[in-house]
Amino acid sequence: MNKKPNIICTGILNTKFTEIKFLAEQVKKYGGNPIVMDLSLGKEVGWADISLDEVLASTGTQKEDVFAAPRSTAIEMVGKAGEIKIQELYNEGKVDGIISWAGSVGTTTVTHVMRALPFGVPKIMLTDMASSDVSMWLGNKDIYIVNPTAEQGINVVTRKMVANAAAAVVAMAKTGDVSGESRPLAAITAYGTTTPTVKRCTEYMESRGWDTIIIHQVGTGATMEDLIRSGQITAIIDLTTGELTNNMYNSPYAVPKTWEGKRLTAASDMGIPQIVVPGGLDQSACGPLSSIPQKYLDDFKTGKRRPYKDTQLPYKHNEGVTIMVPTLEEIEELSLYMAGCLNSTKGPTVVMIPMCGWSAYDQSKELATNERGWAKGNGDGPVWEPDDQNDRWSRRATLMRKVLNEHLNKDSDNLDLIICDMHILDEEFADLCNRCMGDMLDKTWKKGMYTDIPKIIE
């Protein structure tokens, strides 16, 4: 970038005027063009480059209404207007980066605006709330959170840290486009418990000349959905939809509450090739055992949810992650959700159900090996529940098969359901995913074209 990058310096100016002015001075010192935008909640200042009136005009909001509103309402009013204004400025080529310095209220207001910018636009939030849970401010966007140690005050402690942040946002904005060689990008969703198949699918896509982005299902599915809608991801093997169970249990690894999208919808809306698999829906990654609500713990004691061996407790993945086990009623709910999201798909879409299990934790002792993520000799995986009629198959898979057969749109030529007598970690299952995606990319895919393959039931 040859020109000076435009850096939006913003915040609640009527209370943080000294801090934002210093921030703007430092941005200018390090080679940026500072543009001060007012997001005040209590009083408009007269010296901002973009006034509060201009910001609020984006939504037709009156500043007097903001000043009279309860603080939480005012945050929402200014934040929403700021989102629209920053998008307008970005589309006009006037935003190369954004930076702010605030306490909790200012951080909440400003990050509304930051999250409205595309991925890759530098975003730095200096906040003394950095040592707390910052997920509500990050959402699913690439915001750098920096701890200035204080909410306000230019002094020997804060001066250097704020200057560093200003220098950083200018330097980041100057990097320009670093995308390099242009290759199409495919997303593959993952858990540690689906890794072998993720790896095999990744190798296949890369052998076809595609870049791959592996989306760990810990809330970043929201980022993936946004990248699909922006046109950056143009094919997806949604192998691990386990984030849906995280959402169900209000897990810390669910999609961010500030995200306004809906998981499992972008690929259908954009019409890109997609394969959808219930990988990880046999489980939910929740917090430490002490964080699990008592009503769920009671379910493990009664057997409503499968306990780990004879502990009457859920399986502990590690000190910070406890594995919740969904009930059959919840699997039915998730199956209906999937059908509702996929029935109107605009592009080639295949739902594949591996009947023998959906993750390393969802496998029988006969299948278990170290390579498959559950050591032989440890018995069944910690969430494995065999079907009453066929003990090689999962109860959950049998139920999902029934629900999707009843509720998936059979009239759509874009949508197919494949039932496989396989486990998600079988190499032949990964190869089936790869073959199907290859046919979609080659535009030779047709509904019902794999019924002659061994172990495909329907």
Side-chain angles (χ1 to χ4, degrees), residues 6-24:
N6 293 319
I7 307 299
I8 303 296
C9 302
T10 188
I12 300 180
L13 301 190
N14 68 304
T15 59
K16 299 295 188 294
F17 52 90
T18 301
E19 289 72 26
I20 303 303
K21 280 183 176 179
F22 179 74
L23 202 53

Side-chain angles (χ1 to χ4, degrees), residues 139-198:
N140 67 319
K141 284 299 177 72
D142 51 340
I143 299 172
Y144 292 81
I145 301 287
V146 178
N147 186 3
T149 73
E151 178 182 356
Q152 60 189 104
I154 311 302
N155 52 57
V156 68
V157 176
T158 60
R159 185 177 288 111
K160 177 60 174 173
M161 285 179 282
V162 175
N164 285 345
V169 74
V170 172
M172 285 189 279
K174 285 182 176 180
T175 59
D177 184 7
V178 294
S179 56
E181 180 185 356
S182 178
R183 284 160 50 108
L185 180 63
I188 302 176
T189 53
Y191 266 167
T193 55
T194 59
T195 293
T197 300
V198 171

Side-chain angles (χ1 to χ4, degrees), residues 20-31:
I20 303 303
K21 280 183 176 179
F22 179 74
L23 202 53
E25 290 168 3
Q26 296 304 302
V27 164
K28 185 175 182 179
K29 175 181 176 181
Y30 290 105

Side-chain angles (χ1 to χ4, degrees), residues 114-135:
M114 290 183 171
R115 291 193 300 271
L117 287 169
F119 295 98
V121 177
K123 314 166 185 73
I124 295 182
M125 185 70 239
L126 291 141
T127 175
D128 64 337
M129 304 298 292
S131 60
S132 65
D133 179 359
V134 299
S135 59

Side-chain angles (χ1 to χ4, degrees), residues 23-207:
L23 202 53
E25 290 168 3
Q26 296 304 302
V27 164
K28 185 175 182 179
K29 175 181 176 181
Y30 290 105
N33 176 39
I35 300 172
V36 177
M37 183 165 75
D38 191 4
L39 297 178
S40 296
L41 305 180
K43 180 182 177 182
E44 185 174 28
V45 302
W47 49 270
D49 300 303
I50 301 171
S51 69
L52 180 61
D53 266 336
E54 291 177 77
V55 172
L56 294 177
S58 302
T59 55
T61 303
Q62 301 299 311
K63 61 187 176 185
E64 291 77 15
D65 294 334
V66 172
F67 301 156
R71 185 53 58 95
S72 60
T73 304
I75 290 171
E76 195 71 17
M77 294 165 75
V78 175
K80 289 293 184 183
E83 289 177 22
I84 296 172
K85 185 62 179 179
I86 202 72
Q87 288 171 332
E88 291 174 357
L89 294 169
Y90 177 78
N91 292 335
E92 294 168 1
K94 297 178 180 178
V95 181
D96 300 306
I98 185 169
I99 190 168
S100 184
W101 181 7
S104 63
V105 170
T107 300
T108 304
T109 308
V110 171
T111 52
H112 266 287
V113 179
M114 290 183 171
R115 291 193 300 271
L117 287 169
F119 295 98
V121 177
K123 314 166 185 73
I124 295 182
M125 185 70 239
L126 291 141
T127 175
D128 64 337
M129 304 298 292
S131 60
S132 65
D133 179 359
V134 299
S135 59
M136 65 174 288
W137 297 309
L138 286 176
N140 67 319
K141 284 299 177 72
D142 51 340
I143 299 172
Y144 292 81
I145 301 287
V146 178
N147 186 3
T149 73
E151 178 182 356
Q152 60 189 104
I154 311 302
N155 52 57
V156 68
V157 176
T158 60
R159 185 177 288 111
K160 177 60 174 173
M161 285 179 282
V162 175
N164 285 345
V169 74
V170 172
M172 285 189 279
K174 285 182 176 180
T175 59
D177 184 7
V178 294
S179 56
E181 180 185 356
S182 178
R183 284 160 50 108
L185 180 63
I188 302 176
T189 53
Y191 266 167
T193 55
T194 59
T195 293
T197 300
V198 171
K199 185 173 183 292
R200 199 168 178 89
C201 292
T202 300
E203 290 169 351
Y204 172 76
M205 293 303 292
E206 291 181 348
S207 75

Side-chain angles (χ1 to χ4, degrees), residues 266-315:
S268 293
D269 289 347
M270 298 297 290
I272 67 171
Q274 67 172 326
I275 296 169
V276 179
V277 182
L281 286 183
D282 52 277
Q283 61 193 266
S284 171
C286 292
L289 185 62
S290 60
S291 71
I292 305 298
Q294 187 61 47
K295 65 177 181 177
Y296 293 142
L297 294 178
D298 290 343
D299 288 345
F300 287 97
K301 292 177 182 178
T302 63
K304 183 177 180 180
R305 301 178 194 275
R306 187 195 165 176
Y308 180 53
K309 296 186 175 179
D310 59 356
T311 64
Q312 294 192 314
L313 293 170
Y315 179 70

